[in-house]
Amino acid sequence: MIELEEGIRKGLRIVPIVDKEIRQLVRDPKTILMVLLMPITVTILFGYGYGGKGAGKYPITVVNLDGGDGAFKFIQELRNSKMFQIKAIYKSKGQGFSSVYSGEVYASLIIPETFTEDLMRGRPTRVELYYDASNPTVAQMIMQAVGVVTQQFQEWAAARFGTFAITPMFYTVYGPEIKKIESFIPTLMAMILQMVPTSLISVSICREREKGTFEQFIMTPVSVFDIIFGKLAAYFLATISDAILSLFTAILLFDVKLKGTFLDMVIVSTVFLLNSLSLGLLISVFSRNQLQAYQASIFSFIIFMLFSGVFIPVDVLSSEAKLISSFVPMYYFVSAFRNVSLKGWDYLMVLDQLTVISMFTFAFLALSLRFLRMEVT
Amino acid sequence: MLKAQRLEEQPELAVEAKNLTKRFGKFVAVDHISLEIRRGENFGLLGPNGAGKTTTIRMITGVIKPSEGCVKVFGIDVAKERKKVLKYIGYMPQKFSLYEDLTVEENIRLYGRLQGLTGSLLKNRVKELLERFYLWEFRRRLAGKLSGGMKQRLALATALVHDPTLLILDEPTAGVDPPLRRKFWEHFRELNREGKTILVTTHYMDEAENCDRLALMNRGRIIAEGTPREIKRRALGGDLVEIVFEGDLDPAALPGVKSVMEDSSERYLLVVEDAGRDLPRIVKKAEELGAKILVASPMHVSLEEAFIRFMGESE
């Protein structure tokens, strides 16, 4: 066996590891389920759940307690703004509230009894907006739009009846969520690119420990570097399809119109995907078994969701929460992807966010390399 | 030529462990053991489950770090230069440790590649091993779908992929039925003849008879070491002989007799210094004393008996 001795190659062992990992991934029914089925299912659910029709308008109801010309003019202004689709005009507050509670509309605007009279006499007056606070992003946009309409109406009225103020008053009501799917694409992508890859790779090392294959594996001259980067490369190849699949599903099934180019969206997604995988590897390095790894993945996912700005805009959080957000890679991804997909920016314009995400990736990988023990326990 | 050089350069000892100790918390799994395994021998580590055999082996292969002591494999310190040592060691862990979702051939190929084999060298080696261990027709079967015996053969083939000089086998025949166990030991003897050093653990005493030398382990310590014959002699304090006679005779007074183990008035089991030397003397002396010897023969002592004696002493 002299030949054998001479034929042994030194150096990296990444390629055989990538080959092995991909074979294992392809044969694992869990992979098919998570990589292929889950993103599509989630996208479809989002599409049907949140893809409410309305041609860009937010459905609201109006409660007209005044009934005078001023009120009619105000309602006209709301219609003219093209921001709202007025589903109904009620005569009582109760009807208005229940339309929000039931989730039928995002908000109900109440015009008080003395509205026209106040206008004619040049007295300050108000309008009241009862909005669904369960969806802060949409609520903010409605508040803004109502503010704008009120402002315009006030200018018109001021010219006719003299100087006075119309104050929009905002009140919160909680109801079921209704959202437009475009604005949810960044959230959807963040979820799919975080949850699937992280949990999938997070069990990869500890499963080898649990099943005992690690003991045989480390009897070969593989290095920590080979294992970490071999697994990273294999799982990257397996999960990049995630991102592309979800985007296609959204675009084809729900007629999502995204302004960003496909390439820019893939670049931003790739940077974030590498981050999710690195985090998963780090979890795998520190987990004793597969259950622990799954738990850690889910736990980190929940934290990330809460502090990434997908539920509550980070601007409205407390300063402590903002500090946490600044350590959440998903926060930078959501912001970057929103700008690229919805505003049509190219990837160079979100380079700052991409750099921050990559710094986290680097840190996760460095820690994984540092703490992966080539031992059995 | 190359091989000859390599052999000369390498030291006489395949494995040299000094004061090897492993503690898990307060529990001492392996307690200051020292071992010397000579090049080319078939060395058995024998003991009941939980004696510390696997932990010892894992420290020798370097997959766990000793709490104390050090191990050298072919003179190379495992703690310091593990990577250098790996190419000399073929290891078969106690539990099946290959990928159950890869096929037989893929597993061997993977390990060949991880060991650095490429191209036709790799291809030929994989084929050779598949054929040698009767795995050729199952090469496309997933390892998880193999029977216990086939899994063990695959594990052995994989351990040999880089043609190691030291083969470390942890309970290779556990759970394998007796005819297959015998077949396995034939493989081991053959590998031994090819010049490979073998370190094997087992708790089957009958198998251990096949080893050149043995170390008996119990509760983390080595309680006896030597060839199977030496161990048995030491356990009894000599050889065992059986005599049956007619007449009046005190067996304890016969020449060379150290003790009387069994006394059933007619049949006696005697421990003597050396059966070959003492038996004829016993017969001669007994006849001189007027007794009629009906049976006088050396008795086979099983390792199990010896082991139980040693365990009794150590407790």
Side-chain angles (χ1 to χ4, degrees), chain A residues 59 61 87-88 90 98-106 176 178:
Chain A
T61 56
K87 289 271 192 185
Y90 300 120
S98 64
S99 69
V100 180
Y101 277 121
S102 68
E104 194 189 330
V105 293
Y106 288 119
I178 308 168

mmCIF file of all heavy atoms in Angstrom, chain A residues 59 61 87-88 90 98-106 176 178:
data_model
loop_
_atom_site.group_PDB
_atom_site.id
_atom_site.type_symbol
_atom_site.label_atom_id
_atom_site.label_comp_id
_atom_site.label_asym_id
_atom_site.label_seq_id
_atom_site.Cartn_x
_atom_site.Cartn_y
_atom_site.Cartn_z
ATOM 1 N N PRO A 59 -59.559 50.385 3.292
ATOM 2 C CA PRO A 59 -60.989 50.433 3.552
ATOM 3 C C PRO A 59 -61.269 51.043 4.932
ATOM 4 O O PRO A 59 -60.662 50.633 5.921
ATOM 5 C CB PRO A 59 -61.430 48.974 3.491
ATOM 6 C CG PRO A 59 -60.191 48.183 3.705
ATOM 7 C CD PRO A 59 -59.038 49.008 3.285
ATOM 8 N N THR A 61 -64.642 53.175 7.379
ATOM 9 C CA THR A 61 -66.050 53.600 7.418
ATOM 10 C C THR A 61 -66.075 55.005 8.006
ATOM 11 O O THR A 61 -65.118 55.432 8.663
ATOM 12 C CB THR A 61 -66.908 52.673 8.297
ATOM 13 O OG1 THR A 61 -66.336 52.620 9.589
ATOM 14 C CG2 THR A 61 -67.013 51.282 7.717
ATOM 15 N N LYS A 87 -66.261 52.273 2.881
ATOM 16 C CA LYS A 87 -67.135 51.102 2.777
ATOM 17 C C LYS A 87 -68.574 51.429 3.149
ATOM 18 O O LYS A 87 -69.496 50.816 2.618
ATOM 19 C CB LYS A 87 -66.627 49.993 3.712
ATOM 20 C CG LYS A 87 -65.332 49.354 3.241
ATOM 21 C CD LYS A 87 -65.628 48.194 2.329
ATOM 22 C CE LYS A 87 -64.361 47.363 2.072
ATOM 23 N NZ LYS A 87 -64.600 46.311 1.103
ATOM 24 N N ALA A 88 -68.728 52.312 4.128
ATOM 25 C CA ALA A 88 -70.084 52.630 4.572
ATOM 26 C C ALA A 88 -70.076 53.963 5.310
ATOM 27 O O ALA A 88 -69.041 54.381 5.835
ATOM 28 C CB ALA A 88 -70.617 51.539 5.499
ATOM 29 N N TYR A 90 -72.170 55.635 8.406
ATOM 30 C CA TYR A 90 -73.135 55.287 9.446
ATOM 31 C C TYR A 90 -73.655 56.545 10.139
ATOM 32 O O TYR A 90 -73.086 57.631 10.024
ATOM 33 C CB TYR A 90 -72.486 54.383 10.495
ATOM 34 C CG TYR A 90 -71.965 53.079 9.950
ATOM 35 C CD1 TYR A 90 -70.614 52.760 10.058
ATOM 36 C CD2 TYR A 90 -72.813 52.161 9.332
ATOM 37 C CE1 TYR A 90 -70.116 51.549 9.571
ATOM 38 C CE2 TYR A 90 -72.341 50.961 8.834
ATOM 39 C CZ TYR A 90 -70.984 50.673 8.959
ATOM 40 O OH TYR A 90 -70.505 49.502 8.484
ATOM 41 N N SER A 98 -68.030 48.854 15.523
ATOM 42 C CA SER A 98 -68.112 47.426 15.214
ATOM 43 C C SER A 98 -67.500 47.112 13.853
ATOM 44 O O SER A 98 -66.978 46.022 13.650
ATOM 45 C CB SER A 98 -69.557 46.925 15.313
ATOM 46 O OG SER A 98 -70.334 47.559 14.333
ATOM 47 N N SER A 99 -67.514 48.066 12.939
ATOM 48 C CA SER A 99 -66.886 47.807 11.645
ATOM 49 C C SER A 99 -65.371 47.624 11.794
ATOM 50 O O SER A 99 -64.756 46.879 11.048
ATOM 51 C CB SER A 99 -67.204 48.931 10.648
ATOM 52 O OG SER A 99 -66.554 50.125 11.027
ATOM 53 N N VAL A 100 -64.778 48.306 12.816
ATOM 54 C CA VAL A 100 -63.344 48.137 13.058
ATOM 55 C C VAL A 100 -63.083 46.847 13.835
ATOM 56 O O VAL A 100 -62.199 46.061 13.481
ATOM 57 C CB VAL A 100 -62.757 49.348 13.826
ATOM 58 C CG1 VAL A 100 -61.257 49.144 14.075
ATOM 59 C CG2 VAL A 100 -62.986 50.626 13.042
ATOM 60 N N TYR A 101 -63.896 46.636 14.868
ATOM 61 C CA TYR A 101 -63.741 45.414 15.678
ATOM 62 C C TYR A 101 -63.847 44.162 14.828
ATOM 63 O O TYR A 101 -63.118 43.197 15.004
ATOM 64 C CB TYR A 101 -64.804 45.349 16.769
ATOM 65 C CG TYR A 101 -64.441 46.134 18.001
ATOM 66 C CD1 TYR A 101 -65.253 47.164 18.449
ATOM 67 C CD2 TYR A 101 -63.284 45.819 18.722
ATOM 68 C CE1 TYR A 101 -64.923 47.883 19.583
ATOM 69 C CE2 TYR A 101 -62.944 46.541 19.850
ATOM 70 C CZ TYR A 101 -63.765 47.565 20.292
ATOM 71 O OH TYR A 101 -63.427 48.259 21.397
ATOM 72 N N SER A 102 -64.795 44.170 13.920
ATOM 73 C CA SER A 102 -65.033 42.980 13.109
ATOM 74 C C SER A 102 -63.906 42.749 12.106
ATOM 75 O O SER A 102 -63.832 41.696 11.497
ATOM 76 C CB SER A 102 -66.358 43.103 12.367
ATOM 77 O OG SER A 102 -66.242 44.127 11.398
ATOM 78 N N GLY A 103 -63.040 43.732 11.947
ATOM 79 C CA GLY A 103 -61.939 43.567 11.006
ATOM 80 C C GLY A 103 -62.337 43.897 9.576
ATOM 81 O O GLY A 103 -61.555 43.708 8.654
ATOM 82 N N GLU A 104 -63.523 44.387 9.428
ATOM 83 C CA GLU A 104 -64.014 44.713 8.087
ATOM 84 C C GLU A 104 -63.197 45.860 7.488
ATOM 85 O O GLU A 104 -62.899 45.868 6.297
ATOM 86 C CB GLU A 104 -65.488 45.117 8.237
ATOM 87 C CG GLU A 104 -66.286 45.170 6.970
ATOM 88 C CD GLU A 104 -67.668 45.786 7.227
ATOM 89 O OE1 GLU A 104 -68.196 45.644 8.356
ATOM 90 O OE2 GLU A 104 -68.188 46.426 6.314
ATOM 91 N N VAL A 105 -62.878 46.834 8.331
ATOM 92 C CA VAL A 105 -62.089 47.984 7.874
ATOM 93 C C VAL A 105 -60.952 48.268 8.850
ATOM 94 O O VAL A 105 -60.929 47.742 9.947
ATOM 95 C CB VAL A 105 -62.971 49.256 7.752
ATOM 96 C CG1 VAL A 105 -63.990 49.110 6.634
ATOM 97 C CG2 VAL A 105 -63.662 49.562 9.079
ATOM 98 N N TYR A 106 -59.993 49.104 8.413
ATOM 99 C CA TYR A 106 -58.862 49.455 9.270
ATOM 100 C C TYR A 106 -59.230 50.502 10.310
ATOM 101 O O TYR A 106 -58.632 50.577 11.368
ATOM 102 C CB TYR A 106 -57.727 50.048 8.425
ATOM 103 C CG TYR A 106 -57.016 49.043 7.583
ATOM 104 C CD1 TYR A 106 -57.010 49.156 6.203
ATOM 105 C CD2 TYR A 106 -56.328 47.996 8.169
ATOM 106 C CE1 TYR A 106 -56.348 48.248 5.413
ATOM 107 C CE2 TYR A 106 -55.661 47.075 7.392
ATOM 108 C CZ TYR A 106 -55.677 47.200 6.016
ATOM 109 O OH TYR A 106 -55.030 46.294 5.243
ATOM 110 N N PRO A 176 -58.911 42.251 14.104
ATOM 111 C CA PRO A 176 -58.084 41.356 13.300
ATOM 112 C C PRO A 176 -57.312 42.127 12.222
ATOM 113 O O PRO A 176 -57.678 43.230 11.853
ATOM 114 C CB PRO A 176 -59.097 40.389 12.694
ATOM 115 C CG PRO A 176 -60.420 40.981 12.904
ATOM 116 C CD PRO A 176 -60.337 42.032 13.944
ATOM 117 N N ILE A 178 -55.633 43.063 8.670
ATOM 118 C CA ILE A 178 -55.818 43.000 7.224
ATOM 119 C C ILE A 178 -54.659 43.793 6.622
ATOM 120 O O ILE A 178 -54.393 44.900 7.039
ATOM 121 C CB ILE A 178 -57.127 43.670 6.764
ATOM 122 C CG1 ILE A 178 -58.313 43.127 7.549
ATOM 123 C CG2 ILE A 178 -57.344 43.477 5.267
ATOM 124 C CD1 ILE A 178 -59.573 43.925 7.355
#
